[in-house]
Short mmCIF file of all heavy atoms in Angstrom, two decimals:
data_model
loop_
_atom_site.label_atom_id
_atom_site.label_comp_id
_atom_site.label_asym_id
_atom_site.label_seq_id
_atom_site.Cartn_x
_atom_site.Cartn_y
_atom_site.Cartn_z
N MET A 1 -20.76 -11.24 202.14
CA MET A 1 -20.46 -12.27 201.13
C MET A 1 -19.59 -11.69 200.02
O MET A 1 -18.68 -12.36 199.53
CB MET A 1 -21.75 -12.85 200.56
CG MET A 1 -22.61 -13.55 201.60
SD MET A 1 -21.77 -14.88 202.45
CE MET A 1 -21.72 -16.09 201.16
N LYS A 2 -19.87 -10.47 199.61
CA LYS A 2 -19.08 -9.80 198.57
C LYS A 2 -17.66 -9.56 199.07
O LYS A 2 -16.68 -9.78 198.34
CB LYS A 2 -19.75 -8.49 198.16
CG LYS A 2 -18.97 -7.64 197.20
CD LYS A 2 -18.94 -8.22 195.83
CE LYS A 2 -18.26 -7.24 194.88
NZ LYS A 2 -17.73 -7.88 193.71
N ILE A 3 -17.54 -9.14 200.32
CA ILE A 3 -16.22 -8.90 200.90
C ILE A 3 -15.44 -10.20 201.00
O ILE A 3 -14.25 -10.25 200.66
CB ILE A 3 -16.36 -8.22 202.28
CG1 ILE A 3 -16.98 -6.82 202.11
CG2 ILE A 3 -15.00 -8.12 202.98
CD1 ILE A 3 -17.39 -6.15 203.39
N THR A 4 -16.10 -11.27 201.41
CA THR A 4 -15.46 -12.58 201.49
C THR A 4 -14.99 -13.03 200.11
O THR A 4 -13.89 -13.56 199.95
CB THR A 4 -16.42 -13.63 202.09
OG1 THR A 4 -16.83 -13.17 203.39
CG2 THR A 4 -15.76 -14.97 202.21
N GLU A 5 -15.81 -12.78 199.10
CA GLU A 5 -15.45 -13.14 197.72
C GLU A 5 -14.21 -12.35 197.27
O GLU A 5 -13.32 -12.90 196.61
CB GLU A 5 -16.63 -12.88 196.78
CG GLU A 5 -16.43 -13.43 195.39
CD GLU A 5 -16.26 -14.94 195.36
OE1 GLU A 5 -16.87 -15.65 196.17
OE2 GLU A 5 -15.48 -15.41 194.50
N ILE A 6 -14.15 -11.08 197.63
CA ILE A 6 -12.98 -10.26 197.29
C ILE A 6 -11.73 -10.84 197.94
O ILE A 6 -10.67 -10.96 197.32
CB ILE A 6 -13.20 -8.79 197.71
CG1 ILE A 6 -14.24 -8.13 196.81
CG2 ILE A 6 -11.88 -8.01 197.69
CD1 ILE A 6 -14.71 -6.76 197.28
N ILE A 7 -11.85 -11.23 199.20
CA ILE A 7 -10.72 -11.81 199.92
C ILE A 7 -10.27 -13.10 199.25
O ILE A 7 -9.08 -13.32 199.01
CB ILE A 7 -11.08 -12.06 201.40
CG1 ILE A 7 -11.27 -10.72 202.13
CG2 ILE A 7 -10.00 -12.88 202.09
CD1 ILE A 7 -11.88 -10.85 203.50
N LYS A 8 -11.22 -13.95 198.92
CA LYS A 8 -10.89 -15.25 198.32
C LYS A 8 -10.20 -15.10 196.97
O LYS A 8 -9.27 -15.83 196.65
CB LYS A 8 -12.15 -16.09 198.14
CG LYS A 8 -12.69 -16.68 199.40
CD LYS A 8 -13.94 -17.48 199.12
CE LYS A 8 -14.54 -18.07 200.37
NZ LYS A 8 -15.79 -18.81 200.08
N THR A 9 -10.65 -14.13 196.17
CA THR A 9 -10.12 -14.02 194.81
C THR A 9 -8.88 -13.13 194.71
O THR A 9 -8.00 -13.41 193.89
CB THR A 9 -11.19 -13.46 193.85
OG1 THR A 9 -11.65 -12.20 194.32
CG2 THR A 9 -12.35 -14.43 193.72
N ASP A 10 -8.78 -12.10 195.53
CA ASP A 10 -7.71 -11.12 195.33
C ASP A 10 -6.60 -11.15 196.39
O ASP A 10 -5.47 -10.77 196.11
CB ASP A 10 -8.30 -9.70 195.28
CG ASP A 10 -9.25 -9.51 194.11
OD1 ASP A 10 -9.17 -10.29 193.15
OD2 ASP A 10 -10.07 -8.57 194.17
N TYR A 11 -6.92 -11.56 197.61
CA TYR A 11 -5.94 -11.49 198.70
C TYR A 11 -4.97 -12.67 198.62
O TYR A 11 -5.39 -13.82 198.53
CB TYR A 11 -6.65 -11.47 200.05
CG TYR A 11 -5.70 -11.36 201.21
CD1 TYR A 11 -5.01 -10.18 201.45
CD2 TYR A 11 -5.46 -12.44 202.06
CE1 TYR A 11 -4.13 -10.07 202.51
CE2 TYR A 11 -4.59 -12.34 203.11
CZ TYR A 11 -3.92 -11.16 203.34
OH TYR A 11 -3.05 -11.05 204.38
N THR A 12 -3.67 -12.35 198.68
CA THR A 12 -2.66 -13.41 198.58
C THR A 12 -1.69 -13.39 199.75
O THR A 12 -0.70 -14.11 199.74
CB THR A 12 -1.85 -13.26 197.27
OG1 THR A 12 -1.24 -11.96 197.25
CG2 THR A 12 -2.73 -13.45 196.06
N GLY A 13 -1.95 -12.57 200.76
CA GLY A 13 -1.02 -12.45 201.88
C GLY A 13 -1.26 -13.47 202.97
O GLY A 13 -1.90 -14.50 202.76
N LEU A 14 -0.72 -13.16 204.15
CA LEU A 14 -0.85 -14.03 205.31
C LEU A 14 -2.30 -14.08 205.77
O LEU A 14 -3.02 -13.09 205.69
CB LEU A 14 0.02 -13.52 206.45
CG LEU A 14 1.52 -13.50 206.22
CD1 LEU A 14 2.23 -12.82 207.38
CD2 LEU A 14 2.05 -14.91 206.04
N LEU A 15 -2.71 -15.22 206.28
CA LEU A 15 -4.07 -15.37 206.78
C LEU A 15 -4.13 -14.94 208.24
O LEU A 15 -4.38 -15.73 209.15
CB LEU A 15 -4.55 -16.81 206.61
CG LEU A 15 -4.70 -17.27 205.16
CD1 LEU A 15 -5.07 -18.73 205.09
CD2 LEU A 15 -5.73 -16.42 204.44
N VAL A 16 -3.86 -13.66 208.44
CA VAL A 16 -3.87 -13.04 209.75
C VAL A 16 -4.79 -11.82 209.64
O VAL A 16 -4.68 -11.04 208.69
CB VAL A 16 -2.45 -12.60 210.17
CG1 VAL A 16 -2.45 -11.89 211.51
CG2 VAL A 16 -1.50 -13.78 210.18
N LYS A 17 -5.68 -11.66 210.61
CA LYS A 17 -6.68 -10.59 210.52
C LYS A 17 -6.03 -9.22 210.31
O LYS A 17 -6.46 -8.44 209.46
CB LYS A 17 -7.56 -10.57 211.76
CG LYS A 17 -8.63 -9.49 211.69
CD LYS A 17 -9.53 -9.49 212.88
CE LYS A 17 -10.55 -8.37 212.72
NZ LYS A 17 -11.46 -8.30 213.85
N LYS A 18 -5.00 -8.92 211.07
CA LYS A 18 -4.35 -7.61 210.97
C LYS A 18 -3.84 -7.36 209.55
O LYS A 18 -4.04 -6.28 208.99
CB LYS A 18 -3.21 -7.52 211.98
CG LYS A 18 -2.52 -6.19 212.02
CD LYS A 18 -1.45 -6.16 213.09
CE LYS A 18 -0.73 -4.84 213.08
NZ LYS A 18 0.33 -4.80 214.10
N GLU A 19 -3.19 -8.34 208.97
CA GLU A 19 -2.66 -8.20 207.61
C GLU A 19 -3.77 -8.08 206.58
O GLU A 19 -3.68 -7.30 205.63
CB GLU A 19 -1.74 -9.38 207.27
CG GLU A 19 -0.48 -9.45 208.11
CD GLU A 19 0.39 -8.23 207.95
OE1 GLU A 19 0.55 -7.73 206.81
OE2 GLU A 19 0.91 -7.75 208.98
N MET A 20 -4.83 -8.87 206.78
CA MET A 20 -5.95 -8.82 205.84
C MET A 20 -6.64 -7.46 205.89
O MET A 20 -7.00 -6.90 204.85
CB MET A 20 -6.94 -9.95 206.15
CG MET A 20 -6.34 -11.33 205.91
SD MET A 20 -7.38 -12.66 206.51
CE MET A 20 -8.39 -12.91 205.07
N MET A 21 -6.80 -6.92 207.08
CA MET A 21 -7.45 -5.62 207.22
C MET A 21 -6.58 -4.50 206.64
O MET A 21 -7.09 -3.56 206.03
CB MET A 21 -7.80 -5.33 208.69
CG MET A 21 -8.93 -6.19 209.24
SD MET A 21 -10.46 -6.07 208.28
CE MET A 21 -10.86 -4.35 208.48
N LYS A 22 -5.26 -4.62 206.81
CA LYS A 22 -4.35 -3.65 206.19
C LYS A 22 -4.52 -3.66 204.68
O LYS A 22 -4.57 -2.62 204.04
CB LYS A 22 -2.89 -3.97 206.54
CG LYS A 22 -2.41 -3.43 207.83
CD LYS A 22 -0.91 -3.73 207.96
CE LYS A 22 -0.36 -3.35 209.28
NZ LYS A 22 1.06 -3.67 209.40
N TRP A 23 -4.59 -4.86 204.12
CA TRP A 23 -4.74 -4.99 202.67
C TRP A 23 -6.08 -4.42 202.21
O TRP A 23 -6.14 -3.69 201.22
CB TRP A 23 -4.61 -6.46 202.27
CG TRP A 23 -4.72 -6.68 200.81
CD1 TRP A 23 -3.73 -6.56 199.88
CD2 TRP A 23 -5.90 -7.05 200.08
NE1 TRP A 23 -4.22 -6.83 198.63
CE2 TRP A 23 -5.55 -7.14 198.73
CE3 TRP A 23 -7.21 -7.31 200.46
CZ2 TRP A 23 -6.47 -7.47 197.74
CZ3 TRP A 23 -8.12 -7.65 199.48
CH2 TRP A 23 -7.75 -7.73 198.14
N LEU A 24 -7.15 -4.76 202.91
CA LEU A 24 -8.47 -4.23 202.54
C LEU A 24 -8.50 -2.71 202.64
O LEU A 24 -9.06 -2.05 201.76
CB LEU A 24 -9.56 -4.85 203.43
CG LEU A 24 -9.95 -6.28 203.12
CD1 LEU A 24 -10.86 -6.83 204.21
CD2 LEU A 24 -10.62 -6.38 201.76
#
């Protein structure tokens, strides 16, 4: 849930798993 919250608030890139994992 904390990780999802971080994604929702801070991540602004493409909604693609590979890109999201690179960012994380």
